Amino acid sequence: MKFSGQYLLNLINDTLDVSKIEKGKLELHPVICSGNELLENFLNLIRPNLQAKNISLNTHVSDMRFTTLYIDIGRVEQLFMNIVGNSIKFTPTGGTINFSMENLSCENGILRERVTIGDNGIGMSPEFLPHIFEPFSQENSNANQNKGSGLGMTICKHIVELMNGTISVSSEKGKGTQFVFTLDFPLATKEQLDSQSMSNSSLEYLD
């Protein structure tokens, strides 16, 4: 019952997101956060799923963890969780997933990162790959054993595009899958940091 309830909740949320995408209303709602906070949140969320299948996650992250960002942390976590979650789903017990973030540039207050997520799972056929980002798209040989909404990759693609990036995927049956995408992470400005400090001070005063 718990599994079925969670599946239905995820299906509803994904359907609502795709409805927003179709209406052009999927938006980012940025907040100030640290790069370290973003990564720690993601790792804490994904850790139980990794442990359940005894899958190793190798991480290599650039200096983004030492920056203060102005991003929609929920959407970035959703992006990472969807892709790594798929890797866990389609990687056998005891497998390996590699997660890396490489800094490409830092100009005009924008940190551009290249994210690579690869696994040694069951992989996908060349015929299915061109359709992976289409709504309700699932490879027939995988769908029966790995239930999902078929909407996650569609949502991921639009989150990447909202962050001025591109996404690509390569895969080989029996060998694994790799996603590569770029994202623009705006750095928090002095004005935004000062504004947050003033808001926090007001809250403390009201308390």
Side-chain angles (χ1 to χ4, degrees):
M1 288 178 66
K2 181 179 179 181
F3 175 80
S4 297
Q6 187 61 50
Y7 169 72
L8 288 173
L9 179 61
N10 291 340
L11 179 58
I12 291 169
N13 288 335
D14 286 350
T15 303
L16 290 172
D17 278 344
V18 170
S19 177
K20 290 179 182 178
I21 290 169
E22 291 174 345
K23 295 176 182 177
K25 293 184 177 181
L26 188 69
E27 300 175 341
L28 299 179
H29 300 282
V31 295
I32 295 171
C33 72
S34 69
N36 192 59
E37 177 186 357
L38 169 65
L39 295 168
E40 286 300 318
N41 285 353
F42 159 63
L43 291 173
N44 287 334
L45 286 169
I46 207 69
R47 190 170 289 117
N49 296 346
L50 293 165
Q51 293 173 343
K53 291 186 68 174
N54 191 31
I55 291 175
S56 300
L57 178 66
N58 299 323
T59 60
H60 178 74
V61 180
S62 65
D63 291 341
M64 194 193 75
R65 67 172 65 246
F66 303 111
T67 59
T68 304
L69 309 171
Y70 188 65
I71 61 169
D72 188 330
I73 190 169
R75 288 298 184 188
V76 177
E77 287 173 359
Q78 182 183 18
L79 170 63
F80 290 172
M81 287 291 293
N82 274 352
I83 296 180
V84 177
N86 260 16
S87 290
I88 293 172
K89 190 186 300 183
F90 297 113
T91 297
T93 299
T96 302
I97 297 171
N98 296 308
F99 176 94
S100 70
M101 295 184 70
E102 176 189 2
N103 178 241
L104 299 179
S105 64
C106 184
E107 298 176 350
N108 301 318
I110 301 291
L111 196 67
R112 170 152 284 221
E113 297 280 325
R114 178 166 55 215
V115 183
T116 305
I117 300 172
D119 61 61
N120 60 352
I122 62 176
M124 293 176 280
S125 66
E127 294 78 17
F128 175 71
L129 279 182
H131 306 286
I132 189 171
F133 297 113
E134 297 173 2
F136 302 106
S137 181
Q138 289 181 300
E139 190 164 21
N140 290 333
S141 60
N142 298 335
N144 293 333
Q145 295 180 340
N146 299 280
K147 198 174 183 181
S149 68
L151 298 172
M153 291 300 101
T154 302
I155 296 167
C156 285
K157 184 175 186 292
H158 281 80
I159 293 174
V160 168
E161 290 173 349
L162 282 172
M163 297 184 69
N164 301 317
T166 59
I167 184 169
S168 62
V169 56
S170 58
S171 187
E172 188 174 346
K173 276 284 191 181
K175 293 190 176 181
T177 301
Q178 179 172 273
F179 287 86
V180 180
F181 51 97
T182 57
L183 298 171
D184 281 356
F185 290 91
L187 300 174
T189 64
K190 183 178 183 301
E191 290 76 13
Q192 288 165 346
L193 292 169
D194 289 343
S195 177
Q196 184 183 59
S197 297
M198 289 178 65
S199 298
N200 290 342
S201 297
S202 298
L203 289 173
E204 291 172 4
Y205 178 75
L206 289 172
D207 289 342

